[in-house]
Amino acid sequence: MNRGSHVKRVMTPLVGAAALITLPALGTVPATAQTHAAGTVRLAHLPQQAQADQLTGRLGSQHAGFYVDDTGNLVVNVTSAAAAEQVRATGLQARIVKHGIKPLTAAKTALDRLAGSAGTTGLSWGVDIVKNAVVVSVPKNDDDAATQAFVKRARALGQTVQIRRVPAAPRLHLGPGDAITTGGSRCSVSAIGVVGGSTEYVMTAGHCTNIGATWSAGGQTVGTREISRFPGDDYGTIRSAGQVQLDNAQLTEVGRPATGTQIQKKGSTTGTTSGRLVGYDRTVNYQEGAVRQMIETTACSQPGDSGGSLQAGNIAVGITSGGTTGGCGANFQSFFQPLDEALQAQGATLK
């Protein structure tokens, strides 16, 4: 695992979620979200996206997903002029593409069967709606025989697959410092969940909670590990010990915004960074094992940001897992565990 530099800071006894997930600490902000009964994660209501979901359901194999373009418009990919007319009749924009969602999904499924096999460590892949292809990201300096053999197998799946060279392999973000700590390691907070209206949980990365049971901040105990899932997934929950005040700052909803949406990441190493949501359902092959159904973005993240918050305005989206280390230049990738899955596993809702 890639470890960041040690950071020493003095923190006040009351530490809000904003203080835990950003540098410098900005203090607490009262949450405006209503507490819901445990067991059901209510996703944000996004009317235009719901309309696109219904439309693509009617189009069946003639659609190839939808995304938000650079001007903020929702665009639906289709494979025929007739389908494009159906889309435009609803007031949405249509784009005619070569590959429908079925061949794209089939190619991605075929690659997923090879996850964790020789040649896949350091690689990631998923359906890129904008590129209308399954994009396989390969580190530029990774040219050993096993990787070359895997790339050859991927290319053999046909024109639905594109190979993209990226600066470096994704690594899990973990480093010594502050934010939330266990032993000599530091991670970050994604969001605060609640069960039964009173029992609070810190949501963070599973590869973080795997390494320690008791977590602290500012010299006080945050809580103890309850759920830890990694690899396969990458989420963990920490049951609050009641010593640290926790809140979600401006986050009031949980959701999965459309591909192309502008997003922000908050973490204890790089603070708040912005980028674009590239896509969902990414398979990422870390050295420690493969994880599936991840979110890919272009927002900068580095070691120590693990467990941090992926958000779009007031919508809580994901938990920072990993990404390109050593800088945030061209073709940077960052990966996130969907937050709704982690909340559901704990039987929690957003506080």
Side-chain angles (χ1 to χ4, degrees):
M1 293 186 181
N2 198 311
R3 297 183 179 271
S5 59
H6 185 74
V7 180
K8 292 183 179 179
R9 282 172 59 241
V10 177
M11 301 182 74
T12 57
L14 291 181
V15 183
L20 290 175
I21 63 179
T22 62
L23 287 178
L26 301 177
T28 62
V29 179
T32 57
Q34 181 179 356
T35 299
H36 303 296
T40 301
V41 177
R42 298 186 181 184
L43 297 182
H45 180 59
L46 305 171
Q48 196 178 32
Q49 188 171 335
Q51 181 184 6
D53 280 330
Q54 293 174 359
L55 180 60
T56 53
R58 294 198 301 269
L59 291 171
S61 62
Q62 294 184 85
H63 87 87
F66 55 87
Y67 63 95
V68 176
D69 67 14
D70 292 339
T71 62
N73 292 315
L74 198 68
V75 181
V76 181
N77 285 348
V78 293
T79 57
S80 70
E85 286 301 317
Q86 290 185 58
V87 172
R88 296 186 187 108
T90 68
L92 297 178
Q93 292 191 21
R95 171 181 172 232
I96 298 178
V97 296
K98 184 174 183 179
H99 306 298
I101 197 66
K102 285 188 175 181
L104 293 173
T105 302
K108 199 262 183 184
T109 300
L111 291 173
D112 279 350
R113 296 191 187 103
L114 303 174
S117 64
T120 64
T121 299
L123 279 63
S124 62
W125 55 76
V127 176
D128 190 313
I129 301 298
V130 178
K131 294 185 182 299
N132 190 229
V134 177
V135 176
V136 180
S137 297
V138 184
K140 63 181 180 181
N141 294 325
D142 193 348
D143 279 317
D144 59 57
T147 300
Q148 290 180 14
F150 176 79
V151 169
K152 185 177 180 180
R153 294 182 71 177
R155 290 189 189 278
L157 294 173
Q159 296 181 357
T160 54
V161 174
Q162 293 181 11
I163 307 298
R164 177 177 68 160
R165 287 288 178 172
V166 295
R171 304 289 186 191
L172 296 174
H173 292 340
L174 183 64
D178 58 342
I180 55 171
T181 62
T182 184
S185 297
R186 166 171 60 88
C187 282
S188 302
V189 172
S190 172
I192 309 303
V194 65
V195 175
S198 59
T199 305
E200 296 178 349
Y201 292 86
V202 171
M203 317 304 294
T204 189
H207 73 267
C208 293
T209 51
N210 272 3
I211 63 172
T214 302
W215 290 80
S216 302
Q220 297 203 32
T221 300
V222 173
T224 54
R225 174 184 63 206
E226 184 142 333
I227 294 177
S228 194
R229 299 285 186 270
F230 178 82
D233 296 302
D234 195 4
Y235 62 82
T237 66
I238 301 167
R239 181 170 177 151
S240 173
Q243 297 183 24
V244 177
Q245 183 175 326
L246 304 170
D247 70 72
N248 281 312
Q250 85 281 10
L251 299 177
T252 59
E253 299 180 275
V254 180
R256 297 193 182 195
T259 294
T261 298
Q262 292 297 307
I263 46 78
Q264 300 80 42
K265 179 238 82 232
K266 290 188 176 182
S268 61
T269 296
T270 58
T272 301
T273 59
S274 299
R276 181 176 63 86
L277 199 158
V278 178
Y280 293 91
D281 198 21
R282 291 331 194 223
T283 300
V284 185
N285 295 268
Y286 294 125
Q287 290 182 343
E288 297 81 1
V291 291
R292 293 174 169 81
Q293 298 181 341
M294 304 292 278
I295 304 167
E296 179 183 351
T297 86
T298 61
C300 177
S301 62
Q302 291 295 292
D305 286 330
S306 281
S309 175
L310 176 65
Q311 52 194 250
N314 69 320
I315 300 173
V317 181
I319 300 168
T320 306
S321 175
T324 310
T325 54
C328 297
N331 292 323
F332 181 84
Q333 296 175 288
S334 50
F335 297 99
F336 300 82
Q337 161 74 45
L339 177 62
D340 55 356
E341 182 183 358
L343 287 168
Q344 193 72 51
Q346 187 61 70
T349 55
L350 196 67
K351 178 182 174 182

